[in-house]
Amino acid sequence: MKINKKQQMLELLETLIEGLTYIKNNVDSDYTFMSEISLQAIVSIKNVLNNAKKCDEQLNRLSVEVYNNIIGIHENHIENKILACDETIVYLFEMIKIIQEKDNKKLDIVFMPYNAFMWNSLESVWKAASEDENCNCYVVPIPYFKLISKENGDIEAILTYEGNLLPDYVPVIDYREFDLESLKPDIIYVHNQYDEHNNATQVASEYFSYNLKKHTDMLVYITYGILGTYPISFYIDFYNFIASRSFDRVVVQSPSFEVIAEASGLEKEKILPLGSPKFDALVNSLEKQEISQYYRDKFKDKTVFLWTTNLMKVINGRHEVLDEIEEVFELIKNNQQYGLIYRPHPLELTYVKSKAPECYERYSQLLESSKYTQNIVIDNTPSYYEAFKVSDALITDRSSVLIEYMATGKPVLIYDIDLVKEYYNENIFDIFANYIVGEDGMTVEKFIDLVLSKNDKQKQRRLEALHTVIANLDGSCGEKVHNIIKKDIIENYF
């Protein structure tokens, strides 16, 4: 495959061969015009190679030899011009061979998820790459440690591997059998940016960004969450940290976040404001998602609410938050007209045990006892798409699920603290397009009534806010990320 710069270079090299052949056959005539054209051509080639993000050493060395010979012929410094032309033509054919071999080689692309629940942040990019006949794809889930604070102040690191939890249709390679150093893939995709700077989970050190970068030309970071639900200051700090990592490209979800990322120190050329593969997964799955017989039976003739919590929900509010959860559980249990799917963050219980141990037993018992109610389900499955499909409305805090659920068009209630309007910018995301506990007298009970009566006055404003916060809502982010990264590698890495 020859695209743009490489195609142009190959054409220039062919032109040079023709030019030097002409000079060789006309050494006794005035060939100055042809040597000038040849000199311009090799200078153009050298400029492209010098400006490339990476250049093959042999290719670069040959270009220098060609330049030296042509300048020698042009300025009449070489006595045996026929021999010089022959030698230079050989160099040019070698250059063509190197470029063509690299151009025809399939790209090796490695995806390295660590948490199976977060695979959807990479899946649509993987799907586009795996369907590309010019690419070899490898999915290598990497191990990580759950970090648990013990009473004596020590940290217990629990080795965790979730490769067996990825969807069956994803061909998983065991990290212990994968030789990253030997393969040296063209592209690596990750969804973890923390390296050693995380107190909840940490990937194994060989997979820190600066260690992965040793083995690839293109390390791409895609956040596993969808952003927008926190104040702007949070995202400035977020991208400031990412700018300190070893990523070559960072996918951000909208032009507004591109501005924030650049202002936070991330180089503009590294930023791809293309949306979120996680949103692709949602869009592509909602239409296909079927409702299981279990849910059909469990929630027959009920109005169903989905309630999700983020990692810090209980940590921030402690027993006060547990009081709220218990109160809503009781409200649902006591009215068989309702159903509830409660979906905590996948790492939440582990994190509560570590950071709020006084809440752990109560929270665990609350979740366990709710499993035996007639109209409450505790959902710990890797995918939440069925819960999206089954439910009639969402109760949540400021997790990324909030923005994803907005794509369903169904009502959303934010049950959180400290939502101060002055800290938000509606040009980035109008979070107040949703219903909020405490805003305009809103309560959980009033929200339930609103859903039952189908009186969703905020729907249009909510859909407008969704279009602001995420680009490519049609589910095309992953395909565009793959094509742009691939094009960059093909055009700029010689």
Side-chain angles (χ1 to χ4, degrees), residues 243-262:
S244 70
R245 303 296 89 197
S246 301
F247 302 123
D248 297 292
R249 294 290 182 278
V250 174
V251 177
V252 304
Q253 67 191 47
S254 73
S256 295
F257 280 101
E258 179 183 21
V259 173
I260 294 174
E262 189 177 359

Side-chain angles (χ1 to χ4, degrees), residues 72-89:
I73 293 169
H74 180 66
E75 296 181 354
N76 208 30
H77 295 155
I78 294 177
E79 185 173 339
N80 192 336
K81 296 181 180 62
I82 293 177
L83 181 61
C85 286
D86 286 338
E87 181 182 67
T88 308
I89 289 171

Side-chain angles (χ1 to χ4, degrees), residues 407-423:
T408 68
K410 302 172 185 178
V412 176
L413 175 70
I414 302 176
Y415 198 173
D416 211 335
I417 57 175
D418 299 331
L419 267 76
V420 181
K421 283 189 176 182
E422 289 76 14
Y423 296 162

Side-chain angles (χ1 to χ4, degrees), residues 39 68 117 139 169 201 205 223 235 272 313 329 342 346 400 408:
L39 189 58
N68 289 338
F117 287 73
V139 179
Y169 54 80
T201 60
S205 60
T223 179
Y235 299 111
L272 298 177
K313 178 74 172 179
F329 278 16
Y342 184 75
S400 61
T408 68

Side-chain angles (χ1 to χ4, degrees), residues 383-399:
S383 173
Y384 41 81
Y385 300 140
E386 186 175 13
F388 274 31
K389 190 86 168 185
V390 171
S391 59
D392 297 288
L394 172 70
I395 302 171
T396 189
D397 42 42
R398 285 175 286 180
S399 70

Side-chain angles (χ1 to χ4, degrees), residues 110-151:
V110 178
F111 295 83
M112 293 189 143
Y114 77 104
N115 187 304
F117 287 73
M118 301 170 183
W119 165 246
N120 56 7
S121 64
L122 299 176
E123 183 171 75
S124 65
V125 184
W126 163 77
K127 189 173 187 297
S130 65
E131 293 174 353
D132 188 332
E133 63 181 13
N134 296 300
C135 299
N136 296 316
C137 288
Y138 309 84
V139 179
V140 187
I142 57 178
Y144 70 98
F145 297 94
K146 293 179 179 178
L147 305 179
I148 308 298
S149 298
K150 303 179 76 172
E151 290 184 5

Side-chain angles (χ1 to χ4, degrees), residues 105-305:
K105 175 184 173 292
K106 288 187 175 184
L107 294 181
D108 290 315
I109 306 176
V110 178
F111 295 83
M112 293 189 143
Y114 77 104
N115 187 304
F117 287 73
M118 301 170 183
W119 165 246
N120 56 7
S121 64
L122 299 176
E123 183 171 75
S124 65
V125 184
W126 163 77
K127 189 173 187 297
S130 65
E131 293 174 353
D132 188 332
E133 63 181 13
N134 296 300
C135 299
N136 296 316
C137 288
Y138 309 84
V139 179
V140 187
I142 57 178
Y144 70 98
F145 297 94
K146 293 179 179 178
L147 305 179
I148 308 298
S149 298
K150 303 179 76 172
E151 290 184 5
N152 63 3
D154 292 342
I155 302 294
E156 180 183 4
I158 303 173
L159 181 64
T160 306
Y161 174 72
E162 299 185 357
N164 57 318
L165 298 180
L166 264 64
D168 293 339
Y169 54 80
V170 179
V172 168
I173 299 174
D174 192 313
Y175 69 96
R176 289 160 292 199
E177 300 174 0
F178 185 73
D179 191 344
L180 184 65
E181 186 174 358
S182 295
L183 181 65
K184 291 200 175 298
D186 300 283
I187 307 167
I188 298 177
Y189 286 96
V190 297
H191 62 188
N192 182 290
Q193 79 276 23
Y194 292 109
D195 294 341
E196 68 269 38
H197 302 284
N198 194 349
N199 57 9
T201 60
Q202 186 177 112
V203 299
S205 60
E206 57 264 40
Y207 304 112
F208 291 168
S209 64
Y210 49 83
N211 287 328
L212 289 177
K213 180 56 189 162
K214 298 173 184 176
H215 307 303
T216 186
D217 293 329
M218 180 68 71
L219 181 60
V220 184
Y221 167 69
I222 301 175
T223 179
Y224 59 75
I226 292 181
L227 311 181
T229 58
Y230 284 86
I232 295 175
S233 59
F234 176 89
Y235 299 111
I236 292 174
D237 292 340
F238 178 80
Y239 284 115
N240 181 262
F241 178 79
I242 289 173
S244 70
R245 303 296 89 197
S246 301
F247 302 123
D248 297 292
R249 294 290 182 278
V250 174
V251 177
V252 304
Q253 67 191 47
S254 73
S256 295
F257 280 101
E258 179 183 21
V259 173
I260 294 174
E262 189 177 359
S264 302
L266 199 57
E267 297 169 41
K268 187 176 181 63
E269 69 168 15
K270 291 186 175 184
I271 306 171
L272 298 177
L274 296 174
S276 169
K278 189 174 183 179
F279 202 86
D280 291 353
L282 171 68
V283 170
N284 296 328
S285 297
L286 279 181
E287 290 185 6
K288 303 173 186 175
Q289 181 67 54
E290 295 183 359
I291 300 175
S292 65
Q293 192 61 47
Y294 169 77
Y295 272 131
R296 292 181 188 278
D297 294 339
K298 185 84 171 178
F299 295 133
K300 184 179 181 182
D301 300 326
K302 289 179 171 58
T303 298
V304 182
F305 295 87

